[in-house]
Structures are given as C-alpha cells and as structure tokens.
Amino acid sequence: MSIKSQQIVGIAGAFALVGAAVWLSAAFLDQPEPGSVEISQVPERSWAVEITDLGPVEPTPEKRTASR
C-alpha cells in the first residue's frame, strides 16, 4: 500500500479544519470572570528535632527468636 501526496494533503487539511473549529469555538465560549487573591502573613511557627545516636542496639532474646 502506498500513500499518495493527495492523501497527505487531505489529512493535513482535515486536521487544520478541526483545529480551526476548536479555536473558533473556544473564542465564543463564556470566559470566566477573573478571581481575586487575598494574601495575609501568618506568624511563623517552627519546631526542631534533636537526634541522638544510640549506637547498635542488641535485640532481646524474645525478639531474636520471633524473627526466625
């Protein structure tokens, strides 16, 4: 099967017509009214975490047998 140049031009024209129809219909649709934004500053709340290294922790004998 071969594709002729007429088919390519026809497909491109169809895409152009559909694109133009979508673009024109979007221009006629009701545009939403622009909204408003209110910005207010809030007091900053901060917190901190202190990390301590416990080193290697040996599990109890009950935990050792439970994991096997």
Side-chain angles (χ1 to χ4, degrees):
M1 180 176 144
S2 63
I3 298 176
K4 297 181 180 180
S5 63
Q6 292 172 345
Q7 291 174 328
I8 295 173
V9 170
I11 292 171
F15 276 119
L17 285 175
V18 170
V22 170
W23 180 71
L24 285 174
S25 67
F28 291 118
L29 292 177
D30 291 335
Q31 298 293 326
E33 294 182 13
S36 62
V37 177
E38 182 177 330
I39 299 174
S40 60
Q41 186 174 2
V42 296
E44 181 180 339
R45 296 178 184 234
S46 62
W47 50 277
V49 177
E50 185 177 327
I51 300 174
T52 57
D53 186 12
L54 299 176
V57 177
E58 289 292 325
T60 61
E62 296 84 22
K63 289 184 180 177
R64 278 193 212 147
T65 57
S67 65
R68 291 184 187 169

